[in-house]
Short mmCIF file of all heavy atoms in Angstrom, two decimals:
data_model
loop_
_atom_site.label_atom_id
_atom_site.label_comp_id
_atom_site.label_asym_id
_atom_site.label_seq_id
_atom_site.Cartn_x
_atom_site.Cartn_y
_atom_site.Cartn_z
N VAL A 260 30.61 -15.80 4.40
CA VAL A 260 30.11 -14.93 3.20
C VAL A 260 29.17 -13.95 3.66
O VAL A 260 29.16 -12.69 3.36
CB VAL A 260 29.50 -15.75 2.15
CG1 VAL A 260 28.83 -15.02 1.10
CG2 VAL A 260 30.47 -16.80 1.48
N MET A 264 30.10 -10.03 3.33
CA MET A 264 29.35 -9.33 2.16
C MET A 264 28.31 -8.39 2.86
O MET A 264 27.88 -7.54 2.19
CB MET A 264 28.69 -10.24 1.30
CG MET A 264 29.67 -11.12 0.51
SD MET A 264 31.16 -10.29 -0.15
CE MET A 264 30.30 -9.30 -1.38
N TYR A 313 39.84 -23.01 -2.17
CA TYR A 313 39.20 -22.77 -3.48
C TYR A 313 38.05 -21.93 -3.42
O TYR A 313 37.73 -21.07 -4.04
CB TYR A 313 38.97 -24.03 -4.25
CG TYR A 313 40.23 -24.72 -4.65
CD1 TYR A 313 40.56 -26.08 -4.19
CD2 TYR A 313 41.26 -24.11 -5.38
CE1 TYR A 313 41.73 -26.68 -4.50
CE2 TYR A 313 42.40 -24.80 -5.75
CZ TYR A 313 42.72 -26.09 -5.26
OH TYR A 313 43.81 -26.69 -5.50
N ALA A 314 37.20 -22.38 -2.35
CA ALA A 314 35.86 -21.60 -2.22
C ALA A 314 36.08 -20.25 -1.85
O ALA A 314 35.48 -19.30 -2.24
CB ALA A 314 34.96 -22.30 -1.11
N LEU A 315 37.26 -19.95 -0.99
CA LEU A 315 37.56 -18.61 -0.66
C LEU A 315 38.11 -17.83 -1.81
O LEU A 315 37.95 -16.47 -1.64
CB LEU A 315 38.62 -18.73 0.42
CG LEU A 315 38.09 -19.06 1.88
CD1 LEU A 315 39.29 -19.21 2.76
CD2 LEU A 315 37.05 -18.11 2.42
N VAL A 316 38.57 -18.41 -2.89
CA VAL A 316 38.84 -17.59 -4.01
C VAL A 316 37.62 -16.74 -4.52
O VAL A 316 37.80 -15.57 -4.84
CB VAL A 316 39.39 -18.62 -5.14
CG1 VAL A 316 39.49 -17.80 -6.48
CG2 VAL A 316 40.66 -19.11 -4.70
N GLY A 317 36.57 -17.38 -4.38
CA GLY A 317 35.27 -16.75 -4.93
C GLY A 317 34.90 -15.55 -3.96
O GLY A 317 34.51 -14.57 -4.41
N LEU A 318 35.12 -15.92 -2.63
CA LEU A 318 34.80 -14.85 -1.72
C LEU A 318 35.79 -13.58 -1.82
O LEU A 318 35.31 -12.50 -1.73
CB LEU A 318 34.79 -15.38 -0.26
CG LEU A 318 34.54 -14.44 0.89
CD1 LEU A 318 33.17 -13.84 0.76
CD2 LEU A 318 34.69 -15.25 2.16
N ALA A 319 36.97 -13.93 -2.10
CA ALA A 319 38.02 -12.89 -2.16
C ALA A 319 37.63 -11.94 -3.29
O ALA A 319 38.02 -10.67 -3.18
CB ALA A 319 39.41 -13.53 -2.44
N SER A 320 37.00 -12.37 -4.40
CA SER A 320 36.85 -11.44 -5.37
C SER A 320 35.71 -10.50 -4.89
O SER A 320 35.54 -9.27 -5.51
CB SER A 320 36.27 -12.28 -6.63
OG SER A 320 35.18 -12.84 -6.32
N GLY A 321 34.79 -10.85 -4.03
CA GLY A 321 33.89 -9.93 -3.42
C GLY A 321 32.81 -9.50 -4.36
O GLY A 321 32.21 -8.36 -4.18
N THR A 322 32.52 -10.16 -5.52
CA THR A 322 31.55 -9.61 -6.40
C THR A 322 30.46 -10.75 -6.38
O THR A 322 30.53 -11.80 -5.86
CB THR A 322 32.20 -9.68 -7.80
OG1 THR A 322 32.68 -10.96 -8.13
CG2 THR A 322 33.24 -8.70 -7.95
N GLU A 323 29.39 -10.33 -7.15
CA GLU A 323 28.35 -11.28 -7.16
C GLU A 323 28.62 -12.55 -7.91
O GLU A 323 28.24 -13.67 -7.46
CB GLU A 323 27.13 -10.63 -8.03
CG GLU A 323 25.79 -11.18 -7.84
CD GLU A 323 24.76 -10.72 -8.77
OE1 GLU A 323 24.74 -9.47 -8.84
OE2 GLU A 323 24.07 -11.40 -9.41
N ALA A 324 29.42 -12.58 -8.95
CA ALA A 324 29.90 -13.86 -9.54
C ALA A 324 30.77 -14.59 -8.50
O ALA A 324 30.70 -15.85 -8.48
CB ALA A 324 30.72 -13.36 -10.82
N GLY A 325 31.48 -13.96 -7.75
CA GLY A 325 32.35 -14.63 -6.80
C GLY A 325 31.49 -15.46 -5.79
O GLY A 325 31.71 -16.60 -5.53
N ILE A 326 30.36 -14.70 -5.25
CA ILE A 326 29.56 -15.43 -4.36
C ILE A 326 28.84 -16.48 -4.91
O ILE A 326 28.65 -17.67 -4.33
CB ILE A 326 28.56 -14.39 -3.69
CG1 ILE A 326 29.33 -13.29 -2.98
CG2 ILE A 326 27.78 -14.94 -2.68
CD1 ILE A 326 30.32 -13.66 -2.02
N ARG A 327 28.49 -16.39 -6.27
CA ARG A 327 27.78 -17.53 -6.98
C ARG A 327 28.79 -18.62 -7.06
O ARG A 327 28.37 -19.77 -6.83
CB ARG A 327 27.35 -16.98 -8.39
CG ARG A 327 26.66 -18.08 -9.07
CD ARG A 327 26.17 -17.58 -10.44
NE ARG A 327 27.45 -17.49 -11.28
CZ ARG A 327 27.50 -17.41 -12.53
NH1 ARG A 327 26.46 -17.30 -13.23
NH2 ARG A 327 28.62 -17.36 -13.25
N GLY A 328 30.12 -18.36 -7.23
CA GLY A 328 31.06 -19.37 -7.35
C GLY A 328 31.19 -20.09 -6.02
O GLY A 328 31.22 -21.32 -6.02
N VAL A 329 31.11 -19.30 -4.98
CA VAL A 329 31.26 -20.01 -3.60
C VAL A 329 30.10 -20.92 -3.31
O VAL A 329 30.29 -22.09 -2.95
CB VAL A 329 31.33 -19.05 -2.46
CG1 VAL A 329 31.29 -19.58 -1.16
CG2 VAL A 329 32.54 -18.05 -2.63
N THR A 330 28.86 -20.44 -3.70
CA THR A 330 27.73 -21.25 -3.38
C THR A 330 27.78 -22.60 -4.28
O THR A 330 27.50 -23.67 -3.79
CB THR A 330 26.44 -20.57 -3.60
OG1 THR A 330 26.66 -19.69 -4.77
CG2 THR A 330 26.09 -19.79 -2.44
N ILE A 331 28.17 -22.47 -5.52
CA ILE A 331 28.29 -23.57 -6.42
C ILE A 331 29.31 -24.50 -5.94
O ILE A 331 29.02 -25.76 -5.83
CB ILE A 331 28.53 -23.10 -7.87
CG1 ILE A 331 27.34 -22.34 -8.38
CG2 ILE A 331 28.77 -24.34 -8.70
CD1 ILE A 331 27.67 -21.76 -9.76
N TYR A 332 30.46 -23.96 -5.51
CA TYR A 332 31.49 -24.77 -4.98
C TYR A 332 31.17 -25.59 -3.85
O TYR A 332 31.46 -26.78 -3.78
CB TYR A 332 32.76 -23.91 -4.78
CG TYR A 332 34.01 -24.82 -4.68
CD1 TYR A 332 34.74 -25.00 -5.92
CD2 TYR A 332 34.34 -25.36 -3.56
CE1 TYR A 332 35.94 -25.80 -5.80
CE2 TYR A 332 35.56 -26.19 -3.51
CZ TYR A 332 36.24 -26.35 -4.67
OH TYR A 332 37.35 -27.17 -4.70
N PHE A 394 33.67 -27.82 -12.78
CA PHE A 394 32.86 -26.58 -12.95
C PHE A 394 32.87 -25.74 -11.66
O PHE A 394 32.94 -24.50 -11.74
CB PHE A 394 31.45 -27.00 -13.22
CG PHE A 394 31.30 -27.56 -14.49
CD1 PHE A 394 31.17 -28.99 -14.73
CD2 PHE A 394 31.31 -26.89 -15.70
CE1 PHE A 394 31.16 -29.54 -15.98
CE2 PHE A 394 31.16 -27.27 -16.95
CZ PHE A 394 31.13 -28.77 -17.09
N GLY A 395 33.03 -26.46 -10.59
CA GLY A 395 33.10 -25.68 -9.31
C GLY A 395 34.35 -24.77 -9.47
O GLY A 395 34.20 -23.62 -9.01
N LYS A 396 35.35 -25.28 -9.67
CA LYS A 396 36.65 -24.49 -9.69
C LYS A 396 36.59 -23.55 -10.78
O LYS A 396 37.03 -22.38 -10.70
CB LYS A 396 37.84 -25.39 -9.99
CG LYS A 396 38.14 -26.26 -8.79
CD LYS A 396 39.52 -26.92 -8.89
CE LYS A 396 39.98 -27.42 -7.53
NZ LYS A 396 40.25 -28.89 -7.65
N LEU A 397 35.94 -23.76 -12.01
CA LEU A 397 35.91 -22.96 -13.10
C LEU A 397 35.13 -21.62 -12.71
O LEU A 397 35.59 -20.53 -12.93
CB LEU A 397 35.01 -23.60 -14.22
CG LEU A 397 34.93 -22.71 -15.45
CD1 LEU A 397 36.08 -22.64 -16.18
CD2 LEU A 397 33.86 -23.35 -16.35
N TYR A 398 34.03 -21.81 -11.88
CA TYR A 398 33.21 -20.59 -11.50
C TYR A 398 34.05 -19.69 -10.63
O TYR A 398 33.97 -18.49 -10.71
CB TYR A 398 31.86 -21.02 -11.05
CG TYR A 398 30.86 -21.36 -11.99
CD1 TYR A 398 30.40 -22.75 -12.17
CD2 TYR A 398 30.34 -20.43 -12.78
CE1 TYR A 398 29.49 -23.16 -13.08
CE2 TYR A 398 29.27 -20.82 -13.73
CZ TYR A 398 28.99 -22.12 -13.80
OH TYR A 398 28.08 -22.47 -14.76
N VAL A 399 34.74 -20.31 -9.56
CA VAL A 399 35.46 -19.45 -8.62
C VAL A 399 36.57 -18.73 -9.37
O VAL A 399 36.91 -17.55 -9.20
CB VAL A 399 35.86 -20.15 -7.42
CG1 VAL A 399 34.79 -20.45 -6.54
CG2 VAL A 399 36.72 -21.26 -7.72
N PHE A 400 37.36 -19.52 -10.30
CA PHE A 400 38.50 -18.91 -10.98
C PHE A 400 38.02 -17.77 -11.83
O PHE A 400 38.75 -16.71 -12.02
CB PHE A 400 39.32 -19.89 -11.63
CG PHE A 400 40.01 -20.80 -10.65
CD1 PHE A 400 40.26 -22.16 -10.95
CD2 PHE A 400 40.39 -20.35 -9.42
CE1 PHE A 400 41.06 -23.05 -10.06
CE2 PHE A 400 41.10 -21.18 -8.52
CZ PHE A 400 41.30 -22.47 -8.86
N LEU A 401 36.83 -17.98 -12.59
CA LEU A 401 36.44 -17.07 -13.50
C LEU A 401 36.07 -15.76 -12.78
O LEU A 401 36.35 -14.56 -13.24
CB LEU A 401 35.19 -17.55 -14.26
CG LEU A 401 35.40 -18.26 -15.50
CD1 LEU A 401 33.98 -18.74 -16.14
CD2 LEU A 401 36.19 -17.55 -16.49
N ALA A 402 35.45 -15.92 -11.50
CA ALA A 402 35.09 -14.73 -10.77
C ALA A 402 36.43 -13.97 -10.36
O ALA A 402 36.35 -12.74 -10.35
CB ALA A 402 34.33 -15.10 -9.53
N ALA A 403 37.41 -14.70 -9.92
CA ALA A 403 38.55 -14.09 -9.46
C ALA A 403 39.21 -13.32 -10.62
O ALA A 403 39.74 -12.10 -10.45
CB ALA A 403 39.58 -15.06 -9.04
N ILE A 404 39.19 -14.01 -11.79
CA ILE A 404 39.82 -13.22 -13.03
C ILE A 404 38.98 -11.88 -13.31
O ILE A 404 39.58 -10.88 -13.62
CB ILE A 404 39.93 -14.12 -14.20
CG1 ILE A 404 40.98 -15.20 -13.90
CG2 ILE A 404 40.15 -13.34 -15.40
CD1 ILE A 404 41.13 -16.33 -14.88
N GLN A 405 37.62 -12.01 -13.27
CA GLN A 405 36.77 -10.88 -13.58
C GLN A 405 37.11 -9.78 -12.56
O GLN A 405 37.01 -8.54 -12.85
CB GLN A 405 35.41 -11.21 -13.46
CG GLN A 405 34.86 -11.86 -14.85
CD GLN A 405 33.58 -12.62 -14.62
OE1 GLN A 405 32.90 -12.43 -13.59
NE2 GLN A 405 33.20 -13.36 -15.58
N ALA A 406 37.43 -10.22 -11.38
CA ALA A 406 37.65 -9.14 -10.18
C ALA A 406 39.21 -8.65 -10.31
O ALA A 406 39.56 -7.80 -9.45
CB ALA A 406 37.42 -9.71 -8.89
N VAL A 472 23.24 -24.09 -10.71
CA VAL A 472 23.73 -22.79 -11.01
C VAL A 472 22.66 -21.80 -10.91
O VAL A 472 22.93 -20.67 -10.35
CB VAL A 472 24.42 -22.78 -12.45
CG1 VAL A 472 24.79 -21.34 -12.87
CG2 VAL A 472 25.58 -23.73 -12.47
N ALA A 475 22.12 -21.02 -7.27
CA ALA A 475 23.22 -20.26 -6.67
C ALA A 475 23.21 -18.80 -7.17
O ALA A 475 23.62 -17.89 -6.40
CB ALA A 475 24.63 -20.99 -7.10
N SER A 476 22.87 -18.58 -8.50
CA SER A 476 22.81 -17.20 -8.95
C SER A 476 21.87 -16.37 -8.24
O SER A 476 22.06 -15.23 -7.78
CB SER A 476 22.41 -17.30 -10.48
OG SER A 476 23.22 -18.10 -11.19
N ALA A 477 20.62 -17.08 -7.98
CA ALA A 477 19.58 -16.27 -7.29
C ALA A 477 20.00 -16.03 -5.78
O ALA A 477 19.83 -14.90 -5.27
CB ALA A 477 18.21 -17.11 -7.16
N ALA A 478 20.74 -17.12 -5.22
CA ALA A 478 21.20 -16.85 -3.86
C ALA A 478 22.28 -15.62 -3.87
O ALA A 478 22.21 -14.77 -2.96
CB ALA A 478 21.93 -18.03 -3.37
N ALA A 479 23.20 -15.64 -4.81
CA ALA A 479 24.20 -14.58 -4.81
C ALA A 479 23.56 -13.16 -5.03
O ALA A 479 23.86 -12.12 -4.43
CB ALA A 479 25.27 -14.87 -5.84
N LEU A 480 22.56 -13.22 -5.92
CA LEU A 480 21.87 -11.91 -6.14
C LEU A 480 21.21 -11.40 -5.02
O LEU A 480 21.19 -10.05 -4.77
CB LEU A 480 20.87 -12.19 -7.35
CG LEU A 480 20.02 -10.90 -7.83
CD1 LEU A 480 21.12 -10.08 -8.54
CD2 LEU A 480 19.06 -11.29 -8.87
N SER A 481 20.60 -12.29 -4.17
CA SER A 481 19.90 -11.76 -2.99
C SER A 481 20.81 -11.14 -2.00
O SER A 481 20.39 -10.27 -1.20
CB SER A 481 19.07 -13.00 -2.31
OG SER A 481 20.06 -13.70 -1.56
N LEU A 482 22.10 -11.40 -1.99
CA LEU A 482 23.07 -10.89 -1.09
C LEU A 482 23.42 -9.34 -1.50
O LEU A 482 23.73 -8.51 -0.77
CB LEU A 482 24.35 -11.60 -0.98
CG LEU A 482 24.39 -12.68 0.15
CD1 LEU A 482 25.77 -13.13 0.10
CD2 LEU A 482 24.03 -12.27 1.47
N PHE A 483 23.20 -9.12 -2.90
CA PHE A 483 23.63 -7.79 -3.30
C PHE A 483 22.32 -6.92 -3.54
O PHE A 483 22.48 -5.82 -3.92
CB PHE A 483 24.31 -7.95 -4.66
CG PHE A 483 25.76 -8.51 -4.44
CD1 PHE A 483 26.00 -9.80 -4.29
CD2 PHE A 483 26.70 -7.59 -4.46
CE1 PHE A 483 27.27 -10.26 -4.03
CE2 PHE A 483 27.94 -7.95 -4.18
CZ PHE A 483 28.22 -9.34 -4.01
#
Side-chain angles (χ1 to χ4, degrees):
Chain A
V260 169
M264 300 310 296
Y313 295 120
L315 286 177
V316 170
L318 179 58
S320 64
T322 58
E323 195 186 316
I326 302 308
R327 189 183 63 165
V329 176
T330 37
I331 296 173
Y332 197 91
F394 291 98
K396 287 193 171 122
L397 181 70
Y398 281 110
V399 288
F400 290 149
L401 273 183
I404 288 172
Q405 281 165 8
V472 175
S476 306
L480 188 65
S481 75
L482 273 189
F483 284 84

